[in-house]
Amino acid sequence: MLLKENEHIEYISDRLRLIVSPEHTFGTDALLLAAFALPKKNDKVCDLGTGCGIIPFYWLSRDIKCVTAVEIQEKAVNQLSRSVVLSEISDRVNIVHSDLRELKKIFPSASFNKITMNPPYTKSGHGIESSLSADKIARHENAGALPEICRIAAYLLNFGGSFSICLRPERLTDAFFAMRESGIEPKRLRFVSKNAETAPWLFLLEGKKGRNSGLEVMKPLFIQTPDGEPSEELLSITENYRK
């Protein structure tokens, strides 16, 4: 039996079935990042800290040929591995069970031209840390701080390759600094708000390795209409996904 206790299946498309659990699940932010950073079909792509694998599965549902998914937590790797078997896509997903800081021993430099990561939202030592180890890694920088993550991404990217992340707005300057310090120039920024009347709760940021300065600030992404219904853009992002 591929499903364990407290797990269930999310249908990312008619063919792709993703196993989620209370410890390793996903939210709207991951879907927005996956759409924001959507690769071309034959790009060499990698998702760092992939968790349950929602970003790779989202890309595969858009006909991306092959994805590398990196994750440190053994339970998440096991869960994703079973999702791959369930969806019969073993030839399209390369799962790497590794600490991000060990990736230089696994991959040569310039291995990818597109990398994403939904990084921890809280700096290590800030906020109230969860008692669950899975939550600590997902929400706090216990397995790698943002500057270190950007340096790893820069090593893995070829020249001109892109690194995309999503974070809370209060960490925007941290993200700019960390990218630039690692040789990744911030090139595209989009804020996400509930609606036109509310402040942003998330930003999506793409940087490119070795490029010159020049930032495109995109129009805001609103996830709800004035009536509280899902916006047309959100529906277009999630059109293949059904619970």
Side-chain angles (χ1 to χ4, degrees):
M1 182 66 179
L2 288 173
L3 284 182
K4 297 183 179 181
E5 186 178 1
N6 295 325
E7 294 180 342
H8 68 278
I9 293 173
E10 299 278 358
Y11 289 82
I12 307 306
S13 69
D14 290 338
R15 291 184 56 253
L16 297 177
R17 292 169 286 179
L18 185 68
I19 298 171
V20 300
S21 67
E23 294 82 10
H24 303 292
T25 185
F26 64 92
T28 303
D29 52 354
L31 293 169
L32 297 179
L33 177 60
F36 177 78
L38 187 66
K40 296 178 181 177
K41 183 175 181 178
N42 293 313
D43 278 348
K44 295 179 179 178
V45 297
C46 178
D47 182 42
L48 302 178
T50 198
C52 68
I54 178 57
I55 290 178
F57 267 60
Y58 183 95
W59 287 345
L60 294 172
S61 76
R62 265 64 178 176
D63 295 324
I64 304 307
K65 187 175 181 180
C66 186
V67 181
T68 294
V70 178
E71 176 56 48
I72 188 175
Q73 299 183 76
E74 185 175 356
K75 288 185 178 180
V77 169
N78 177 272
Q79 187 175 304
L80 176 55
S81 297
R82 287 182 283 119
S83 296
V84 168
V85 171
L86 186 64
S87 300
E88 300 180 345
I89 52 171
S90 298
D91 59 331
R92 299 179 66 194
V93 184
N94 174 30
I95 303 173
V96 179
H97 182 196
S98 174
D99 187 312
L100 299 184
R101 292 164 288 198
E102 298 297 315
L103 292 181
K104 288 185 178 181
K105 300 176 184 178
I106 299 173
F107 296 105
S109 62
S111 290
F112 304 99
N113 59 303
K114 185 174 285 287
I115 296 173
T116 53
M117 185 172 186
N118 187 350
Y121 287 160
T122 306
K123 287 184 179 181
S124 181
H126 290 68
I128 300 173
E129 292 199 8
S130 170
S131 59
L132 298 175
S133 60
D135 284 345
K136 282 185 179 181
I137 292 172
R139 299 174 185 174
H140 299 265
E141 292 180 336
N142 295 306
L146 190 56
E148 188 172 25
I149 290 168
C150 288
R151 288 193 294 270
I152 293 164
Y155 168 83
L156 294 172
L157 283 173
N158 58 19
F159 183 85
S162 68
F163 178 46
S164 297
I165 62 173
C166 61
L167 276 172
R168 300 296 186 223
E170 60 265 27
R171 300 208 62 193
L172 181 59
T173 53
D174 291 339
F176 280 169
F177 184 81
M179 280 191 177
R180 272 194 161 176
E181 191 179 46
S182 66
I184 298 174
E185 182 63 28
K187 297 296 292 182
R188 192 162 59 104
L189 172 66
R190 191 172 196 189
F191 291 102
V192 181
S193 299
K194 181 179 178 180
N195 54 50
E197 304 302 319
T198 59
W201 61 274
L202 188 78
F203 70 81
L204 303 161
L205 178 64
E206 177 190 61
K208 293 192 174 183
K209 181 179 176 179
R211 294 302 190 189
N212 294 328
S213 61
L215 178 70
E216 175 192 2
V217 180
M218 303 171 66
K219 67 177 183 179
L221 195 166
F222 303 128
I223 63 172
Q224 288 186 2
T225 67
D227 296 329
E229 297 296 321
S231 66
E232 288 188 11
E233 185 165 11
L234 180 62
L235 289 174
S236 72
I237 289 170
T238 61
E239 62 183 347
N240 287 356
Y241 164 60
R242 59 185 176 86
K243 292 187 177 180

